[in-house]
Amino acid sequence: MSVIKVEHLTKDYGMNKGVFDVSFEIEKGEVFGFLGPNGAGKTTTIRHILGFSRPQDGRCEVDGMDCWKKPDKILKQLGYLPGEIAFPNDMKGIQFIRFMARMQGMSGLGRAEELIKRFELDPSGSLKRMSKGMKQKIGIVCAFMHNPSILVLDEPTSGLDPLMQNVFVELIEEEKKAGKTILMSSHIFEEVEKTCDRVAMIRQGRIAATLQMDEIEHNKKKVFKLEFLQIEDYQRFLREQLDFQAADEGKKQVWVRVKDKDINAFIKVLANYPLKFLSEVKSTLEDYFMNFYGGDSNVQ
Ligand SMILES: Nc1ncnc2c1ncn2[C@@H]1O[C@H](COP(=O)(O)OP(=O)(O)O)[C@@H](O)[C@H]1O
Ligand SMILES: [Mg+2]
């Protein structure tokens, strides 16, 4: 049985905004990425999974329980990091953490201290004076401190500097090893690529694709940039049966896309050409994403 199930979820806010017929399932122990540009419908979907919002159509389930009908039961076993956290301004960080621990029915602070150390957070100051990054760390501590078996994280690394993003990635890797089920939304391709087993791409409130990460790895293309010594070689090379991305005759440079599985054949072709240089232009999940999104990931 899947741990999180979203079935034909629809919430129409009008003007083509909201989520429409969104479906996906997350298995136990899976790290699932929910990837899409701003306004795509990630937070709306997540709020339905938490039982904060009533579906117009379709349903969400956690551990077989309907999220709208049994929100209390669901919240007990789940760690949630909201996309935008509304903090009470008159509390110190540590007071808020204690308050949230009590709300979760915890007797102590659970893993909070360990997490505070890991993220190099000083929670003694007032929330009002905390930077976005510090507040995000407080949110992370609260989501993980009761050691829940399910984590729902809405853009978890927003506001974190690169060092802390790495600390977060390590935490996710550990949680995954411990068998946790994790849903994580993001508009950053790279972070999903690092941590997730599977990814659903959402755009304009609709799922554009759901992909296994190793499927993406396997089908990923690398882009190589080549520069030739002789113009004759440059011209001859362009007649090869390859997937050319761009060419610059003046500089005798060519950009060519090669699937990972075709690398050996590509190297054989290259052996026939004296080159000035060859380098790989890093291609990412972003390129893959672009294929699905028809070239512009920012179009709403
Ligand atoms: N309560 C609401 N009423 C009306 N429109 C909303 C509401 N919540 C979100 N929206 C709109 O629905 C779309 C999806 O929003 P959201 O789920 O927050 O996107 P994301 O989290 O992917 O950035 C946006 O266009 C947003 O403005
Ligand atoms: Mg959001």
Side-chain angles (χ1 to χ4, degrees):
M1 190 177 75
S2 41
V3 174
I4 297 178
K5 192 171 181 180
V6 177
E7 246 180 349
H8 305 293
L9 177 68
T10 296
K11 180 75 142 215
D12 188 348
Y13 291 127
M15 310 282 283
N16 219 14
K17 287 182 173 170
V19 292
F20 307 92
D21 199 22
V22 165
S23 297
F24 57 83
E25 288 185 34
I26 309 177
E27 301 299 322
K28 181 167 168 30
E30 213 176 17
V31 182
F32 190 88
F34 197 33
L35 188 62
N38 290 332
K42 302 182 293 296
T43 298
T44 302
T45 305
I46 286 172
R47 288 178 56 77
H48 281 85
I49 294 171
L50 271 293
F52 298 153
S53 194
R54 186 181 193 158
Q56 271 167 1
D57 207 353
R59 61 204 303 264
C60 300
E61 272 179 18
V62 170
D63 270 345
M65 291 178 285
D66 187 292
C67 299
W68 177 249
K69 290 178 190 149
K70 303 250 182 266
D72 303 353
K73 280 209 173 131
I74 285 160
L75 290 173
K76 268 269 173 290
Q77 53 171 328
L78 186 147
Y80 169 51
L81 176 68
E84 270 164 44
I85 316 171
F87 285 114
N89 266 336
D90 54 351
M91 265 191 200
K92 291 195 165 72
I94 189 68
Q95 286 175 323
F96 181 74
I97 292 170
R98 284 202 194 103
F99 168 74
M100 290 304 281
R102 276 199 302 278
M103 294 277 287
Q104 272 295 342
M106 296 165 64
S107 53
L109 286 185
R111 292 182 68 188
E113 260 174 55
E114 168 212 333
L115 291 160
I116 287 168
K117 275 210 194 86
R118 266 176 107 133
F119 283 93
E120 297 171 19
L121 169 68
D122 174 6
S124 62
S126 113
L127 283 165
K128 189 167 49 188
R129 292 188 207 288
M130 285 191 183
S131 66
K132 184 168 168 17
M134 287 172 84
K135 286 183 183 165
Q136 190 69 9
K137 288 176 183 181
I138 300 248
I140 293 173
V141 169
C142 293
F144 286 82
M145 66 182 169
H146 54 301
N147 207 19
S149 59
I150 308 166
L151 289 147
V152 177
L153 312 168
D154 196 354
E155 310 230 11
T157 61
S158 80
L160 296 186
D161 64 36
L163 204 70
M164 288 301 143
Q165 287 180 14
N166 286 338
V167 173
F168 177 79
V169 167
E170 279 167 22
L171 176 64
I172 293 292
E173 279 164 0
E174 280 177 31
E175 294 290 282
K176 180 180 154 65
K177 279 203 192 105
K180 307 293 177 70
T181 306
I182 306 174
L183 166 63
M184 184 170 117
S185 82
S186 178
H187 64 274
I188 307 163
F189 313 101
E190 224 188 356
E191 105 186 352
V192 165
E193 193 172 19
K194 270 188 208 151
T195 48
C196 295
D197 304 312
R198 219 145 52 87
V199 52
M201 297 167 177
I202 183 167
R203 184 199 184 196
Q204 294 179 344
R206 290 180 171 85
I207 300 288
T210 307
L211 299 157
Q212 202 76 33
M213 218 59 208
D214 48 15
E215 192 182 315
I216 294 173
E217 287 297 318
H218 186 72
N219 284 312
K220 233 157 87 175
K221 289 179 181 176
K222 290 196 169 73
V223 176
F224 292 95
K225 181 183 175 187
L226 294 72
E227 185 170 320
F228 295 89
L229 290 160
Q230 309 292 337
I231 191 75
E232 296 76 26
D233 288 332
Y234 166 88
Q235 286 160 347
R236 184 162 60 93
F237 186 76
L238 285 177
R239 290 195 291 273
E240 297 281 358
Q241 293 296 311
L242 290 166
D243 181 7
F244 295 108
Q245 187 178 52
D248 183 334
E249 180 150 357
K251 291 186 181 152
K252 301 190 282 287
Q253 288 178 349
V254 174
W255 284 256
V256 56
R257 280 184 288 251
V258 185
K259 276 193 186 162
D260 282 358
K261 66 180 177 59
D262 297 333
I263 291 285
N264 286 338
F266 177 62
I267 290 169
K268 277 193 192 130
V269 172
L270 287 185
N272 302 320
Y273 294 88
L275 292 173
K276 189 165 175 198
F277 77 75
L278 161 74
S279 64
E280 186 193 335
V281 183
K282 275 265 175 234
S283 87
T284 62
L285 181 56
E286 183 162 5
D287 303 319
Y288 209 86
F289 192 62
M290 290 301 207
N291 287 337
F292 281 94
Y293 280 20
D296 188 352
S297 66
N298 287 318
V299 173
Q300 294 299 301

